[in-house]
Amino acid sequence: APRPNTNTKHTPPNQTNNRKHPPFLCIVPVGSKRTNEPHLSHLILLVVSLSTTLRSQLFITSARHNFRLSPHHYNLKNKMGKQKIRPPSQVDSLTFPVFGLTWYGAPSSPTKNDGCSVIAYCGGGGSAKTGVGNKIVVLVTADDYNSSQSAAASAADSGVGEGDSSAAASQPSSSFSTFASRQVDISTGEALCFGIHAFRPYNDPLNMVRLLACVGDEILLYGIPLLASEANNTATASGGDDAIAANDAASNNNNDNGNDKDGAILLAKTNVGKGYGANVSTYSGLHQNGKFIHCIAVGCENGTVVNFHLNQTTPNNEQSFEFVKVSECKGHTKAICAVNFHPRGHQLLSSAKDGTARIFDAANGNPLGLLKCEVHDPNGPAPPAIPAANTGTMKTKDPRMMKRPPQILVRGCAYGDLEGKIIYTVASGKRGAAYLTKWRTLVPLNRPPPEAAGAGGPTTTTASLSSQPLSINQEYRIQCSPVPISATSLSSDGTLLTMGSVEGSLLLYNLESKKVLKEFKEVHDLPVTCVASRPVPNLLMLPGELEGGVNFDAVSASADNRLGRWTLQRKSRVKKLVPPRSARKRSGVEVYLWELLRIPLFMLFLLAVVAMRDTMDICREEFGLSALVMDAGVSNAGHCLYREVLWAEEGRVSFVPE
């Protein structure tokens, strides 16, 4: 609520301006007429009066049946609904809103020294020519065991004397950092990047992580060196004036921002189509006819999925890359939300805002299957049918009064196994709950079996089998969130589904138990725009996780300029080292006083214990609550303590003769 204006008087209807705030309630408890002692009911009335007085100062009458709280109380009320972010989960503040996110990782390996964790996010302030920061930020964490071993060896050699060298040699290698972290910024200029995807090809000779960026109608391919020391060598090996120029531009941009000067390398780019609008992208490797083919699929704003092959040549011992369009998959009527390759690379799975998910043949773009999603409870009654406009049941032709079917948004789709027989989709409307649906693809009964070569008949190849329509059955549909879902991501092992809601919450959903393992409620101020699940199983550690002690399960971002890292762990595996307290040496005077006074202080403590015991035995009535509240109660209690317990008169002391 806005801060109330103290200069303006709010006048409720049918009331005058001289209306005042609710009066103070003041109730003074009095004693009984007979005994003049307080009762418990008086204390209760006093507490009630004080609480009512405080409540009357919090509320301000502003309009009819409209009450506004003070700004401080309103802030407290808003924070009550949000969950406090506790470690080891963490949230980082950014400088721009984020619309795309990706996470690639390879397990840490001391022998191969090729482990890496790459988190990239993109966004910006808009498309104006000035005053915006449209860019892509790449956070690279890679194994660097060679540097750690060199640091350990230099530390052992730098010791002076035999004792120092032995101490350095005995120092554990874990004290030296086994990984290197850096940040790379890529400016996208006036255009805004909406989707990115990070991957690393099999047996990559360049030792780089590739990054696909959807900028306008173009798809850009960048190379991110894992270590800063390898950036210059990689730029020379990739070849081409465009790559070197892009590397210099990225280096200048990173140097201005205070980051590492070795930036990204632009390897290739292409236009998906005029007015297509690239939204999302993905990568898959395909083994076909003894060759390894790099396949890239791009989901567009107009509902088209474009499939490319990335050709790599080495003219004059220089690496060059080129996009070759293979097919266009058409069938969706609205923007694509997610796109994924079949685990074997010969099919494409996509979902869109038209309420459907579709399967296409990656080679020719032919449709193979249609998955129509619904957003109502399967165990409840079916939603009422919306009559068509030409049936004569419409009472008006006003577009504002016409009933239209609710729009269903299929935010996510993914394959749930290595064979590509299980498919998961998450769909929701603009309002209401979100539903998770599990589909299973079956082999059609009318499909001819493949015949062996030389049997006398036509041979059915694997390519012809993959181009035939599929039979798809729905196994179950279950509610996964009470509010609409805006972003989804499936983990690499197919067990954990990360979902971001329009309320800014993040859900970690277990597909095996069909339950939400953990919910981070309203951790973002705006709807979650993108999420990314862990790229490797939780048992395998990424670079930096061994030292940090936390294995993050998901990453999320939103337009509220925040990037969150979430985990199911309750605490870190690494205990914080508390520095020992410095033991100050006491001076001679302090030691002398302590030795002199410690016995008298101990005897004084014993005397206080005995006096407390005698007080409870002799002056129990004088120290009671009913006696203290009277007029002479305190003086009587002091007289009893002094005369009866602590000091005895001469007349009361008598000795027994021997």
Side-chain angles (χ1 to χ4, degrees), residues 28-64:
V28 180
V30 296
S32 175
K33 293 182 179 180
R34 294 184 179 180
T35 61
N36 198 23
E37 294 179 358
H39 296 283
L40 182 61
S41 60
H42 296 162
L43 298 178
I44 297 176
L45 290 176
L46 179 62
V47 174
V48 172
S49 64
L50 292 177
S51 62
T52 307
T53 303
L54 294 176
R55 285 176 59 87
S56 64
Q57 297 305 305
L58 289 176
F59 292 89
I60 299 176
T61 307
S62 60
R64 183 177 60 181

Side-chain angles (χ1 to χ4, degrees), residues 648-658:
E649 297 179 356
E650 294 181 359
R652 295 178 52 194
V653 178
S654 60
F655 296 94
V656 178
E658 297 182 356

Side-chain angles (χ1 to χ4, degrees), residues 86-89 518 567-572:
R86 298 179 179 179
S89 298
K518 196 169 185 179
T567 178
L568 295 173
Q569 294 181 211
R570 294 185 177 181
K571 59 181 180 180
S572 175

Side-chain angles (χ1 to χ4, degrees), residues 341 343 349 413-424 438-439 490-495 511:
F341 273 101
L349 173 65
C413 63
Y415 286 98
D417 61 341
L418 297 178
E419 297 181 358
K421 295 182 179 180
I422 298 177
I423 298 175
Y424 292 101
K438 181 180 180 180
W439 311 82
L490 184 63
S491 62
S492 59
D493 55 359
T495 58
L511 294 174

Side-chain angles (χ1 to χ4, degrees), residues 558-569:
S558 176
D560 61 349
N561 299 9
R562 291 182 184 178
L563 178 72
R565 306 167 192 251
W566 315 103
T567 178
L568 295 173
Q569 294 181 211

Side-chain angles (χ1 to χ4, degrees), residues 516-535:
V516 177
L517 296 180
K518 196 169 185 179
E519 178 182 4
F520 301 91
K521 189 175 182 181
E522 296 183 10
V523 291
H524 291 282
D525 296 335
L526 296 176
V528 180
T529 55
C530 48
V531 295
S533 295
R534 185 177 179 85

Side-chain angles (χ1 to χ4, degrees), residues 593-604:
L593 292 178
W594 171 248
E595 294 292 339
L596 182 65
L597 298 177
R598 64 178 181 176
I599 295 179
L601 290 176
F602 179 72
M603 296 181 65
L604 183 62

Side-chain angles (χ1 to χ4, degrees), residues 589-624:
V589 178
E590 293 177 349
V591 174
Y592 174 76
L593 292 178
W594 171 248
E595 294 292 339
L596 182 65
L597 298 177
R598 64 178 181 176
I599 295 179
L601 290 176
F602 179 72
M603 296 181 65
L604 183 62
F605 172 75
L606 293 180
L607 180 62
V609 172
V610 174
M612 186 178 298
R613 184 197 62 182
D614 295 342
T615 302
M616 297 300 297
D617 294 340
I618 301 174
C619 303
R620 181 184 298 272
E621 297 180 358
E622 286 78 359
F623 279 89

